[in-house]
Amino acid sequence: MDIKKRWLAVFVENQVGVLAKISGICSSKLYNIETITVGTTADPTISRMTFSFLSNDATFEQIKKQMNRCVEVIKIIDLTDIPTHMKELMFIKLKINSPVEKEEVISIAKIFRASIIDYDMERLILQSVNSEVGNNDLINLLSKRFHDMEIVRGGVVSIEAMSISNG
Amino acid sequence: MKKGTQLWLEALKEEDVDTIFGYPGGYVLDIFDELYKQNDIRLILPRHEQAAVHAADAYARATGKVGVCVATSGPGATNLVTGIANANYDSVPLVCFTGQVPLDLIGNDAFQEVDFIGITRSVCKYGVMVRDRKDLGRIIKEAFYIARTGKPGPVVVDLPSNIMKEVMKDSYPAEVHIRGYKPNSDVHVGQLKRALKLLRDAERPLFLCGGGINIAHANQAFRQLAEIVNIPVITTVMGKGAIPTNHPLYVGSMGMHGCYAANKAVSECDLLFSIGTRFNDRITGKISEFAKEAKIVHIDIDTAAISRNIKVDVPVVGDAKLAIEKMLTMVKQSEKREWVAQVKKWKEEYPLGVKSGNCVNPQRIIESINNIFDDFIAVTDVGQHQMWTTQFLELDNHKKLLTSGGLGAMGFGFPAAIGAQLAYPEKQVICITGDGGFQMNMAEMATAVAWELPIVVLVFNNSFLGMVRQQQQYFCEKHYYGTCLKERKSCQRIKCHTPEECPPYLPDFLKFAESYNVEAYRVTEEEQIEQTLKIASEKAKQNKAPVLVEFILERYDIVLPIVRHGGTLDNMILEEN
Ligand SMILES: Cc1ncc(C[n+]2csc(CCOP(=O)(O)OP(=O)(O)O)c2C)c(N)n1
Ligand SMILES: [Mg+2]
């Protein structure tokens, strides 16, 4: 079927319970949320939520309609097919067993434009601000070599683009 | 300076509320005290909060106004949940006020604290806790506005007790502005044109009316439209009465227990012109086979209802009445069609009917109501008796039906009849209930007596949870388990006693009525039906009190036809197995 990755920016009243309500709409109808991020906007009474779903057209249409029906939802933008800047912040804590391994991490980090933001004798923390796919690739690559990893992913934030035609 | 409760009362008066269904408790003491000090709004005290919300619901359904109920925090509030979900499913405008522990106790697992907004989030249109006294007026204003506009629904307002005590200088706002809520107030004429083009081109067009027509009070306009375009009309259970049931264009209601002709017509039509229905699974049967031959037009106020269950060719978002009135300016009188006669023929070939044994045939009871009363509100509970009612009861502008459609909540009938009778003291209110469902809220007899309500309560006693028993008959190899209301410890689990040993029914409904000083009759023969109904209605008026009539039905009567769960509509079970 037409299952693909979809993105929504949802502007909501910045009130207690709204996140629960919106995520409740998804869970009660069995829509699985892939990622979600929430933050306030320039107007402190409004929060912006960014969702990603893996879904087909029909389900995604329903998700949008159901959210729109919600009194607390002010506006919804479907980011799926419009040019956007999208980034995800990710931290990876790695256990390093030898100087060779350390060198290897440093060179991988370079290629992925990740930075090393902390370390001690056995461990190291990478910070990556990349697309979701880029972060997946980085994890895949590292996991071939390192097994002792702690990964923290922030979920994707995105903003509509102005000067580019595809994100 | 005004106390929170004073502003609350002012708000209710502004919203033209004259009746509140409420049950007291610690955290609504101040609210009750405020009500005590005035005479404009009457408080109806039920015997259970569930009855309060069902009664408020029926009050709203009958009048078109917003129904209001009040319950205390914790258990009072949780007792409302079924009624809120029920109102939500049938799009009934309600505002439910619940007491709450003071703000500084919230989150402490305080006595009678529950997160009621959390609990009801998925079963109401909107829910909000007031956290600041200065927001109280605005929130109540928004609550009423949200409840009654767009697709109507229940709104929950949770009131921490300290907020209701707090005083400040303010008044109830005159206007609302909610940036995330802009109900549709117009219809797209272009879409209507497209819909009417399909209608002109169709050879076998069919109207399908849902509850939306009744909610929008679009019945008169719809009747005109149907007569002008001259096409047959079928309804859902909730849409029944969209056009008078004795109208020549009316076929019947469709779906799981719909009539043959209606279900057949859906399967054969080439255009299904639907208004105000959500294509619930009980009406569609197997989706992939539903109206297979047809293009589909769907007019609905709720965008989320369109193309959710079935794919729609021409969607029109908007209020049913507005859309129909617009269409009336766009259509021309059309000729009688062969198709109308065809549908009529199906109706004559396979009429609805209950084959019953020696006892009282339920069909005759409903037909007697048709014969005797020409102005009534009938309220049903949920089960076989409800389906028989929707199959046989005649409706028009003076004969109305209130029923729990979307949720199908047993226990609705009797308290709802109370709500309807309070709304229209002069009308004949008839409560048609099962022996099972009546027992769920029969304590409300006290409320009905206390308020001098001349409700005629008809208990269809088959001593079974009949609708479920019928499903066991068809789908569980007649394993009647957990559905016999005569069953006792002494009964053998699978095999029944001989009829002589079968234990007596509990309770004795006549003695039950007697304990409330309510007149009651037991009807065991068909000849007694009409006479008893007449007497009951007269006595009720004379006594200014309810009258109960128990009909002893054949225990194994069934509702036919049946469309199996997930089966196709044109594959109905028409005969008993
Ligand atoms: C609150 C609730 N519980 C259970 C059901 C499932 N149910 C639907 S109809 C029915 C039987 C109703 O029995 P009764 O009131 O005697 O009516 P009858 O079908 O016999 O006419 C049941 C148990 C329901 N609809 N609502
Ligand atoms: Mg029964």
Side-chain angles (χ1 to χ4, degrees), chain A residues 13 20 45 62 65 69 72-73, chain B residues 121 179-180 302-304 306:
Chain A
E13 297 290 343
T45 66
Q62 261 304 305
K65 285 175 176 174
R69 190 151 89 157
E72 295 91 339
V73 169
Chain B
R121 197 166 276 140
R179 55 188 168 183
D302 180 13
T303 33
I306 291 178

Side-chain angles (χ1 to χ4, degrees), chain B residues 147-169:
Chain B
R148 85 162 79 81
T149 52
K151 185 187 177 82
V155 174
V156 176
V157 182
D158 205 23
L159 301 169
S161 64
N162 64 308
I163 299 245
M164 300 313 279
K165 286 186 199 300
E166 201 176 317
V167 290
M168 65 177 274
K169 216 170 148 183

Side-chain angles (χ1 to χ4, degrees), chain B residues 382-385 408-410 434-437 440 462 464-468:
Chain B
V382 170
Q384 290 183 311
H385 63 279
M410 278 173 75
D435 52 313
M440 283 200 173
N462 49 12
F464 267 120
L465 299 172
M467 185 53 102
V468 181

Side-chain angles (χ1 to χ4, degrees), chain B residues 39-51:
Chain B
N39 280 319
D40 300 326
I41 299 177
R42 61 182 166 169
L43 172 78
I44 309 296
L45 175 73
R47 296 306 186 256
H48 189 300
E49 287 88 352
Q50 185 186 94

